[in-house]
Structure formats: structure tokens, C-alpha cells
Amino acid sequence: MTRRDFLATQIVASASRSGSKLSPPVSVFSKHFHWLSIPEMADAAKDVGFDAIDLTVRKDGHIEPENAAKELPKAVEIIRNKGLDVEMITTGISSVRSPYAEEILKACAASRVSHFRWGGWTYDRSITVESQMAHYRDVAKPLAKLAASNGLTGIYHTHSGIDQFGASIWDIHAVLKDIQPGSLAINYDIGHATIEGGYGGWINSTRLCSSLMKGVAVKDFRWERNDKGQWRPAWKPIGQGMVDFKGFFQLLVKQKFQGPMQIHFEYPMGGADHGHRKITWSREQILSAMKRDLKLLQEYLSI
């Protein structure tokens, strides 16, 4: 199946979703299928009902970085022949100096994969925020050039947490807003964004980076006390946490969002949540949990 044929079928499938206002193909993060080979993963993902796979091409991923040139095109072909797409890959790239960065992006382009996830920047507290942002602008420029030369869009994944660059959203927006358009953008994680701005912050950050939001990651959480009595975010199945998916998707509709949407399963799932090769849950248990989350996500998307 060619990519053109596949996209045509997806357009028809999206149009057939009754009342749908936002209907991007939904990818599963292949980290949660590290216990399966690539062909087995494609079968399982199709069984769950996913449209695509966000393939890990990083250390301890489905494809090791040094093997990308040889293995990525083959893996993408296998997945597409199963009736799924690969719109994006997740890498360990943080700059052009990251190991095998150029080889990975060339393989990505050769495989007709349009987006790659990058990131992992952190704050150095010995340096001012302004100086840190200036430094990362200098890091981003050659990476943007490399992405553009391969016809790719690199999407920076936003996390939450202390010293995470991009957790506040405005900082990564400020760094990327004047970078070559279409080359580097943001993969906005609504779960992490809600952790950092649970009341109104996620609304403002969504609006702020609308033009740079070329990917969206979906997960849910709520605050809970740990064994030490400290409040910490605890990942939950979709719909059992604090994320306002309906409100978020309404904003995406207004922003005319277009880009890969990935669903992440970070709550306890027998080791699949952490990307383990050996799991303690059965295949049926894992796929059942994924089906439940995907079904609810599709319901939110159709409202």
C-alpha cells in the first residue's frame, strides 16, 4: 500500500466519523509495545483500532539509532502493509551533534515519514534563563536547517517538571517562533501542560503556541500524595484524571490543528507503561486497557 493510497483511505475514514469536529489519525507510542516485534506490534495496534504508530528510533527503542538507515524503511513498510501509517518517529535527538542525527533524519525522509520528535533540553541553574534561551536558539538553528534539508518537521515534546525546558511552554515558544517556519515546532503534551498549568495555564499556553503546534500527545493524570506525603502527579487512564480533553479539543478545532496525535499509556500497565521488554500483564489485559482509552478519546474528539 502506497502512502498516497493510505492517506486516501484515512480521509474517507475520518469523514465517516459521525459529528466529528476533529479527526486526526491517532498514533500509539511504540514505547508501550517494546515487548513485541515490529510486525507483532503492527498487528496488535491494528487490533486495538489505532490509525498509526509513533515509532521509537532511539536507544533501547524498536530501532537503535545506529541502525536507522537500514531498519527504519523496512519497519515503516511492514507497518504500512498492515494498514497503518507512520506519521512520526520518536528520537533521542536534541541537536545536530546527537549521535546519528543526520542518518536518522535521512532515513526518516527516505521512509516518507513527515515528522520526528526531538527534545530533552534542560535548564542549568547556574545560568540565567535569558542566557539559556539564547543558547538554545543557537542549538536550534542548525537542527532546523538539517530538518528542512530533509523536508521534515521536528516537533519538540513538552514535559513537566523541575528544570525541564519547555515545561512552561512560553520558553520553547520563544526559542522556536523565529526559527525557519515548518522546520522545528512543538509536540504539545496536554497531560504535562495540565500539570504545569492546571487551571488556566494550559489554555493560555495552547493559544500561545497554536502556530507552532504541529503535534499533540494525549494522556491523563491527577495529583496524589506519595508514601512520603508529597503531592505528585499520578498518571491515569483517559477520563479518570484532571485533563479537560473536551475543552482542549475545542481549542484545537478553533486553531485548525493539523498534525500527528499520539496517545501515551503512562499509568501502571505491567511494564508496558515504561517500555519494558518483559511484561507482567497479559497481551489481552494491555490491549483491553488501550481499547478503553482509545474509545473514550474518540468520543471526546467527536464532541
Side-chain angles (χ1 to χ4, degrees):
M1 179 182 289
T2 67
R3 180 169 174 79
R4 179 179 296 177
D5 291 338
F6 179 84
L7 291 176
T9 63
Q10 289 301 298
I11 291 171
V12 173
S14 295
S16 67
R17 293 178 186 173
S18 176
S20 177
K21 295 181 180 180
L22 186 71
S23 55
V26 179
S27 297
V28 61
F29 187 20
S30 87
K31 163 187 169 181
H32 307 305
F33 279 121
H34 279 173
W35 48 281
L36 291 176
S37 67
I38 289 172
E40 292 170 333
M41 170 179 62
D43 287 333
K46 188 173 183 179
D47 183 30
V48 173
F50 292 108
D51 302 302
I53 294 174
D54 166 16
L55 192 60
T56 51
V57 185
R58 62 185 184 183
K59 183 175 174 55
D60 297 324
H62 267 109
I63 297 175
E64 294 290 338
E66 62 269 26
N67 299 329
K70 181 179 179 180
E71 295 184 6
L72 180 57
K74 293 179 180 179
V76 171
E77 182 179 10
I78 289 171
I79 293 168
R80 287 183 178 148
N81 284 340
K82 297 282 188 178
L84 303 175
D85 197 12
V86 181
E87 292 188 295
M88 65 178 286
I89 62 172
T90 288
T91 75
I93 295 172
S94 60
S95 75
V96 293
R97 295 185 177 183
S98 297
Y100 305 101
E102 187 169 354
E103 290 86 348
I104 292 170
L105 297 196
K106 285 183 177 179
C108 191
S111 304
R112 307 186 316 282
V113 175
S114 56
H115 295 68
F116 69 95
R117 176 178 143 185
W118 63 288
W121 289 349
T122 56
Y123 279 106
D124 180 345
R125 296 192 192 184
S126 67
I127 303 173
T128 66
V129 171
E130 292 85 355
S131 297
Q132 195 90 94
M133 292 173 68
H135 165 71
Y136 282 135
R137 285 192 190 96
D138 291 338
V139 174
K141 289 176 183 177
L143 182 58
K145 184 177 180 180
L146 180 61
S149 69
N150 285 284
L152 302 173
T153 297
I155 46 179
Y156 183 98
H157 191 81
T158 60
H159 286 91
S160 59
I162 299 171
D163 293 334
Q164 290 285 338
F165 194 93
S168 303
I169 309 297
W170 58 261
D171 48 1
I172 188 63
H173 173 271
V175 166
L176 298 183
K177 66 184 180 68
D178 296 322
I179 297 293
Q180 186 172 349
S183 57
L184 295 183
I186 293 172
N187 194 48
Y188 188 95
D189 188 311
I190 184 56
H192 285 297
T194 305
I195 290 172
E196 293 290 343
Y199 193 27
W202 67 268
I203 297 174
N204 294 330
S205 62
T206 298
R207 294 175 59 212
L208 173 68
C209 67
S210 60
S211 63
L212 280 173
M213 195 185 298
K214 302 302 181 183
V216 164
V218 175
K219 60 171 72 85
D220 208 351
F221 87 101
R222 64 171 176 251
W223 290 100
E224 294 182 354
R225 290 188 186 274
N226 63 16
D227 295 339
K228 297 181 180 179
Q230 301 167 322
W231 286 102
R232 293 291 185 270
W235 299 115
K236 299 294 178 181
I238 285 179
Q240 296 183 23
M242 300 172 61
V243 174
D244 181 1
F245 290 106
K246 295 178 184 178
F248 178 58
F249 293 151
Q250 288 171 359
L251 283 175
L252 293 189
V253 170
K254 291 180 181 179
Q255 294 174 184
K256 298 181 179 179
F257 168 77
Q258 291 183 335
M261 177 177 287
Q262 322 101 52
I263 185 169
H264 292 198
F265 300 93
E266 305 290 349
Y267 56 89
M269 194 182 278
D273 45 314
H274 293 299
H276 292 171
R277 304 286 177 180
K278 294 183 179 181
I279 54 173
T280 58
W281 281 22
S282 69
R283 183 183 191 276
E284 291 70 24
Q285 284 177 300
I286 293 174
L287 299 195
S288 176
M290 289 182 171
K291 286 179 181 179
R292 178 192 60 214
D293 279 18
L294 179 60
K295 182 177 184 294
L296 190 53
L297 173 61
Q298 291 171 336
E299 290 176 3
Y300 286 144
L301 285 169
S302 66
I303 294 175

